[in-house]
Amino acid sequence: IRVEFLDYEVLDDYGWSLDDDDLFRKASHADLDETSHGRLLVHPDESLLEGAENRGFGWPFSCRGGACANCAVYLVEGELSQPANHIMPDDLAERGFRLSCNGYPVSDELRVVFNVKHLAELDDLIL
Ligand code: FES
């Protein structure tokens, strides 16, 4: 499963929004370092967080059990299943937010913004 990722901090730094249609195109042209924007492969039996870790990336997490939202990501493309979610409210899930510690890819390609825990809506949830 091919994953293209982008760090939310970049959006903050550049003044970009999660809703920008050309977010990943802009990221490709911005000469970002490889931990902020890039691609990785996740195996079907790995959660997105595990996949990132197993390929050498240090994405944020805390409980690893679907209860703290530190590992939250925003889906721009593709879908992640969410077997354990004790914290993400339905309205945020509907907008595309998922927990990467408990997010298993169910599409062949994903585009995600990770590190979205700094977003105001999620800040209140973080334990
Ligand atoms: Fe706590 Fe994922 S690490 S919900």
Side-chain angles (χ1 to χ4, degrees), residues 49 60-71 84 86-87 99 101-102 127:
L49 178 64
F61 69 92
S62 179
C63 73
R64 308 187 81 96
C68 76
N70 280 285
C71 66
H86 309 292
I87 187 148
L99 304 171
C101 71
N102 259 284
L127 299 176

Side-chain angles (χ1 to χ4, degrees), residues 3-126:
V3 180
E4 185 176 4
F5 60 85
L6 179 61
D7 189 340
Y8 182 72
E9 257 179 42
V10 172
L11 278 70
D12 230 14
D13 291 349
Y14 284 76
W16 299 341
S17 146
L18 287 175
D19 305 325
D20 287 352
D21 288 340
D22 55 353
L23 192 55
F24 279 81
R25 195 179 56 79
K26 286 196 290 199
S28 306
H29 291 107
D31 196 26
L32 301 168
D33 70 60
E34 58 192 24
T35 58
S36 300
H37 171 246
R39 291 182 172 77
L40 61 92
L41 288 175
V42 175
H43 300 155
D45 59 344
E46 290 173 323
S47 71
L48 178 59
L49 178 64
E50 287 165 350
E53 289 174 335
N54 291 339
R55 310 289 101 70
F57 296 98
W59 289 9
F61 69 92
S62 179
C63 73
R64 308 187 81 96
C68 76
N70 280 285
C71 66
V73 299
Y74 177 75
L75 286 175
V76 174
E77 229 177 274
E79 185 54 286
L80 287 171
S81 70
Q82 199 78 107
N85 170 23
H86 309 292
I87 187 148
M88 189 69 77
D90 288 349
D91 59 324
L92 290 182
E94 270 160 32
R95 284 173 53 197
F97 293 98
R98 298 286 183 276
L99 304 171
S100 66
C101 71
N102 259 284
Y104 294 84
V106 289
S107 55
D108 290 339
E109 305 214 12
L110 285 168
R111 275 186 164 161
V112 300
V113 178
F114 73 98
N115 205 15
V116 292
K117 64 176 185 166
H118 300 298
L119 203 70
E121 294 98 306
L122 287 160
D123 225 20
D124 298 343
L125 297 176
I126 306 290

